[in-house]
Amino acid sequence: MRIARPRTALLRTSSISDAKRSGDLIDITGLDTISSRNLIKINQFRYRAEVVKVETIGTSAPTLTASTQYIVEITDPTSSRESHSNAVVPRRYMYQTPADLTDIGATAALQREYVYGQLITKINDDSANNVVAVSLGSGTGVTITDDAGYYPAKTAGGISPRQGKSSIFLAKDSNNRGFVDGTHRVLTTDAVYQFGEGTRMASDVPVVYALGGGNIVAGEVDAPLTVAGLGAVAGQQYDAFAIEHLVRSEIPTIGEVIGYRVALSMIFVDNGLGSSVTNLAGFKAFEREMHKMLFSTYAADPKSVIEFFDKPLVIQGPLGAAPAGTADALGWILSPYGSLNHTNIGTQTIVAPVLDATGLLIDQDDDANDGAHYSANQQTLGSQQFVVGVNAFSVVARVVMGDWTDSHLLVGFRKKAAYAADYNDYTDLAAIGSGAAAGDTITTTGILNNAATVATASAVSYADGVSVELRVSVAIDGTVTARVNNVSYPIYSAGTTALVLDAGDAMIPFFQHVNIGSGNPAVSISEFVAVADNRWKVDA
């Protein structure tokens, strides 16, 4: 099926009213109206800054041999050499050692440094290879770093000179001697291509030049613009929401028959994290509405857990009884979005949460060791579970807290089982939140196959009164990734071994809060969603 060219738009400022869904219609400022019946999928693309690729040559201290060519080949994806693409003919830089190695140094380290210096000079003398080589000193190696500026804006009459990262290979000489590519070259830092960079986006706004007797357009015709025709602002950051949907299209070979084709609409929105942060609150409100539309595409999947805590709800005890304050009394939280298991922790006297202006206030008692646990249906016949190895899955929660010091918060997945009064008793768990003793600190928690709990505290603290997004993603092979505000934090199963859940394990999403020191943390959660996808939000 043919995909139509994307229709793009830009929001320098945003609010909840810029993303509306009413009846069958989706209206997003700057984009054409979309029928919700024709909605296929929405993805969120996070802003990301460019990171240039760095490779290191000379690792493992190669033992040099006399009369040998040491060769570095660099392939640039766009430039050409002698009318040939570098994909066919790489740029080659080489130095041949003399018959007597002591001519270039008295020690092995000095000899390596001399060879590296010769290669560095040759590489850096070639101004068209888009890299810079630098010695690490004392014969320990060479770094080769890409020039900054992947995918620069198109200029009048020109072609973008830098489209993607370079490739480096260590070749053998005709005697099959020299560097060993898999041993003496390592990737130090992989490239990250920028996205949503305001300065770069501003340079894409099309400009017409009168050159050679005709008009030449520089920039991108599809560069996102506001309704008023304004481009992105330098120094700002933009997230994008890509909306894949169907549009009606006549079928020319069949008279009076209407078909459909796939179209892509993209809205770029200042995320309030650039040089100016005035749109931060507006972006969060807009993002929330877009998430409602995004996750509606997963609503038909019985595994999905979708809750936004902004509609009236009911707390129910077992068999319809009033909720109790003891941890053994499993109850339900019921809302128009769905239902969650709710179990009190400790000796609560305030036995149920309440809605507040920012979501679901889950403090209940503000006494030490009191709290509550929430999860998808943990009953055996429940469908809201994600099986490792069947598909990737993720859970996301947005939380704001008045004082993180007083809350031990966990958001993530646990193996499907009955509620455990002590979270350490779950056999498998992957969560991110705060520390059991230091609620201010971003902390991950991992348990694998009933082994000891591994809590990993970062050096980063939460900001009181500022909402944060907590997300745990599980790849189809069981690899777990934990993020706060899109920044990844390590999560381990033992020591510094990355947590990888076992294939076949049925996991359910959960969150829980336990009061640490009888303070008032004011824990409010406004979004809790788990779906069978870990790429609905595209990060760096």
Side-chain angles (χ1 to χ4, degrees):
M1 183 177 292
R2 185 169 63 90
I3 298 179
R5 289 177 62 83
R7 168 75 172 92
T8 62
L10 178 79
L11 294 177
R12 287 184 171 185
T13 60
S14 56
S15 69
I16 191 172
S17 63
D18 287 307
K20 297 185 289 291
R21 181 172 181 172
S22 179
D24 178 46
L25 301 180
I26 295 174
D27 284 300
I28 298 170
T29 302
L31 297 178
D32 295 333
T33 298
I34 298 169
S35 169
S36 61
R37 290 176 295 178
N38 295 335
L39 180 62
I40 299 174
K41 189 174 184 181
I42 301 176
N43 284 102
Q44 182 176 359
F45 289 84
R46 287 291 303 168
Y47 159 84
R48 55 179 178 265
E50 179 180 278
V51 177
V52 294
K53 179 183 176 183
V54 181
E55 297 211 36
T56 301
I57 294 172
T59 55
S60 302
T63 300
L64 302 183
T65 57
S67 303
T68 299
Q69 290 180 336
Y70 288 86
I71 304 168
V72 178
E73 294 182 344
I74 300 177
T75 301
D76 184 275
T78 54
S79 62
S80 60
R81 188 177 189 184
E82 297 175 355
S83 301
H84 292 281
S85 166
N86 269 351
V88 178
V89 183
R91 295 174 181 270
R92 173 172 279 213
Y93 311 93
M94 59 186 172
Y95 172 75
Q96 181 167 320
T97 54
D100 184 354
L101 287 176
T102 60
D103 289 347
I104 58 173
T107 65
L110 290 174
Q111 292 162 10
R112 288 195 300 271
E113 186 64 23
Y114 185 89
V115 172
Y116 296 157
Q118 295 298 309
L119 292 170
I120 288 170
T121 298
K122 294 174 184 291
I123 292 170
N124 290 341
D125 281 348
D126 184 356
S127 60
N129 59 16
N130 293 315
V131 300
V132 174
V134 176
S135 171
L136 292 174
S138 302
T140 56
V142 177
T143 59
I144 299 180
T145 304
D146 282 356
D147 289 339
Y150 297 122
Y151 298 97
K154 294 181 180 178
T155 57
I159 299 175
S160 179
R162 185 73 168 130
Q163 298 183 20
K165 61 186 179 182
S166 60
S167 297
I168 297 174
F169 178 74
L170 302 181
K172 294 290 190 69
D173 67 7
S174 58
N175 296 313
N176 199 35
R177 296 183 299 184
F179 290 128
V180 178
D181 188 66
T183 302
H184 300 143
R185 177 181 63 87
V186 297
L187 177 64
T188 305
T189 305
D190 202 359
V192 175
Y193 301 142
Q194 64 81 26
F195 182 87
E197 178 64 55
T199 302
R200 172 64 183 80
M201 290 173 64
S203 65
D204 263 341
V205 175
V207 178
V208 178
Y209 292 86
L211 296 176
N215 291 332
I216 297 177
V217 176
E220 298 288 343
V221 175
D222 290 326
L225 302 174
T226 66
V227 173
L230 302 175
V233 178
Q236 294 304 100
Q237 301 177 7
Y238 296 85
D239 276 23
F241 293 87
I243 307 163
E244 193 175 338
H245 58 100
L246 298 175
V247 294
R248 294 181 66 179
S249 177
E250 293 186 6
I251 302 176
T253 57
I254 306 176
E256 299 182 356
V257 175
I258 298 296
Y260 288 87
R261 58 193 175 94
V262 178
L264 183 65
S265 298
M266 295 189 70
I267 183 71
F268 288 78
V269 191
D270 186 321
N271 65 17
L273 298 174
S275 300
S276 169
V277 297
T278 57
N279 192 52
L280 182 57
F283 172 76
K284 287 182 178 180
F286 176 86
E287 181 186 45
R288 177 181 173 84
E289 292 305 299
M290 290 301 301
H291 279 183
K292 287 184 177 181
M293 298 181 200
L294 188 160
F295 291 122
S296 71
T297 63
Y298 297 90
D301 186 345
K303 296 186 290 294
S304 297
V305 176
I306 301 173
E307 182 58 71
F308 286 94
F309 304 111
D310 58 3
K311 297 180 180 181
L313 52 85
V314 175
I315 303 295
Q316 177 181 305
L319 299 178
T326 62
D328 294 331
L330 175 68
W332 293 90
I333 175 171
L334 309 170
S335 85
Y337 292 102
S339 61
L340 295 171
N341 283 143
H342 168 255
T343 307
N344 285 321
I345 297 173
T347 55
Q348 295 278 14
T349 56
I350 301 174
V351 296
V354 296
L355 290 175
D356 71 358
T358 55
L360 185 71
L361 183 66
I362 62 175
D363 284 29
Q364 299 177 221
D365 281 351
D366 283 329
D367 293 334
N369 302 316
D370 283 0
H373 176 92
Y374 302 77
S375 73
N377 186 0
Q378 64 191 36
Q379 274 68 34
T380 302
L381 297 179
S383 298
Q384 289 178 312
Q385 63 181 29
F386 302 90
V387 178
V388 180
V390 173
N391 47 247
F393 49 93
S394 60
V395 61
V396 62
R398 183 164 285 280
V399 177
V400 63
M401 205 174 299
D403 189 350
W404 282 88
T405 303
D406 300 311
S407 175
H408 179 207
L409 181 74
L410 297 173
V411 173
F413 291 98
R414 64 175 176 86
K415 194 168 183 179
K416 188 174 183 179
Y419 162 77
D422 184 347
Y423 70 95
N424 295 286
D425 291 337
Y426 293 116
T427 61
D428 298 88
L429 182 145
I432 192 164
S434 56
D440 287 310
T441 305
I442 294 176
T443 303
T444 62
T445 304
I447 305 174
L448 183 66
N449 297 331
N450 212 26
T453 302
V454 180
T456 306
S458 72
V460 181
S461 297
Y462 291 101
D464 294 338
V466 178
S467 69
V468 295
E469 182 189 271
L470 308 174
R471 182 159 40 116
V472 175
S473 302
V474 181
I476 196 166
D477 67 354
T479 301
V480 180
T481 304
R483 294 181 175 90
V484 174
N485 288 339
N486 308 295
V487 177
S488 180
Y489 293 87
I491 181 168
Y492 302 124
S493 60
T496 56
T497 301
L499 177 61
V500 180
L501 300 173
D502 294 333
D505 282 354
M507 309 296 292
I508 59 173
F510 81 98
F511 65 92
Q512 75 171 46
H513 147 73
V514 175
N515 189 291
I516 293 177
S518 298
N520 178 17
V523 187
S524 185
I525 181 168
S526 60
E527 186 174 326
F528 181 67
V529 179
V531 293
D533 187 0
N534 68 343
R535 293 291 291 170
W536 61 267
K537 177 173 284 192
V538 182
D539 301 283

